[in-house]
Amino acid sequence: MADGHLSPRGELCICLSGKDKDYLKVLAEHLKCRITLRIKSGGFSKESSEFVDLRIQDKKFQEKWYSILEYINPKTYNPPKLDIFYTKDLLIYFLIGLIDGDGSIWVHNQTETNHGSIALRIEVHPNWKDRFIELFSKIEELYGIRFNIGTSSKGYVKAEIVSRKDLEKLYMYIDNCDYMTRKWDKVRAFMSQLKPLLV
């Protein structure tokens, strides 16, 4: 949902940094398709960088998902309907994917004598505001994890973990799921330094 799109010609496209190719490889194996490693030049860094993409063309697949999600291109400005994910089994995976794709996790105010605190934020286009309110209300209802919804200085809609207790609950759920290790290892390292709040 974060790093992919459904094209008007019925193609599912997902593109990630080359360093995340192992995650896309798992999905490609599940979908019985291939991934392609490419070199891309330019962008913000002005340097060549490696990226990996998955493309699968299946008109029936596209029509099914367009119907279920009430999908309109581009999804950046037209948030799809997410009701299909609003179950306790599925929603945590959806949230992890959203954080892996559009989220950021970092430790701040850390010193030699202070563990600091961890920040977790997801930012998306302002058109997603109503969908975010609905999505994170459902997350709080099903898992008891509260996110603050607000607006960033650049006008994007943001969802942030509001307390260590909520972060610990989220970590407890994600620990049994697949997630992007390089991002969540920051949470793992931080949580291992702390005495648990939850019993």
Side-chain angles (χ1 to χ4, degrees), residues 39-50:
I39 301 296
K40 184 178 181 180
S41 57
F44 293 110
S45 67
K46 305 296 182 189
E47 297 174 2
S48 295
S49 56
E50 194 178 61

Side-chain angles (χ1 to χ4, degrees), residues 97-134:
L98 193 61
I99 293 167
D100 283 351
D102 285 327
S104 53
I105 301 171
W106 70 98
V107 178
H108 57 101
N109 300 328
Q110 193 173 31
T111 66
E112 287 183 14
T113 56
N114 182 8
H115 295 310
S117 55
I118 199 151
L120 189 154
R121 178 187 299 156
I122 307 163
E123 284 191 34
V124 293
H125 191 275
N127 285 12
W128 278 70
K129 185 172 184 178
D130 290 344
R131 191 69 79 230
F132 254 37
I133 291 169
E134 171 191 292

Side-chain angles (χ1 to χ4, degrees), residues 66-91:
Y66 264 55
S67 171
I68 291 170
L69 300 173
E70 297 181 2
Y71 191 96
I72 300 169
N73 268 313
K75 74 175 187 319
T76 299
Y77 312 115
N78 303 291
K81 186 178 176 185
L82 303 175
D83 301 30
I84 189 173
F85 304 110
Y86 290 171
T87 70
K88 190 153 188 180
D89 291 335
L90 291 179
L91 191 55

Side-chain angles (χ1 to χ4, degrees), residues 121-149:
R121 178 187 299 156
I122 307 163
E123 284 191 34
V124 293
H125 191 275
N127 285 12
W128 278 70
K129 185 172 184 178
D130 290 344
R131 191 69 79 230
F132 254 37
I133 291 169
E134 171 191 292
L135 172 68
F136 287 99
S137 172
K138 201 69 183 175
I139 287 166
E140 186 171 1
E141 176 190 327
L142 293 178
Y143 307 108
I145 300 168
R146 186 160 181 258
F147 281 76
N148 268 355
I149 309 297

Side-chain angles (χ1 to χ4, degrees), residues 99 104-107 118-120 161 167-168 170-172 174 179-194:
I99 293 167
S104 53
I105 301 171
W106 70 98
V107 178
I118 199 151
L120 189 154
I161 281 280
L167 179 67
E168 198 164 307
L170 176 59
Y171 180 70
M172 182 180 70
I174 73 110
Y179 52 87
M180 194 171 280
T181 313
R182 68 179 175 84
K183 189 170 279 189
W184 287 93
D185 273 356
K186 296 171 191 172
V187 179
R188 182 183 292 279
F190 180 77
M191 297 304 285
S192 67
Q193 301 173 54
L194 306 175

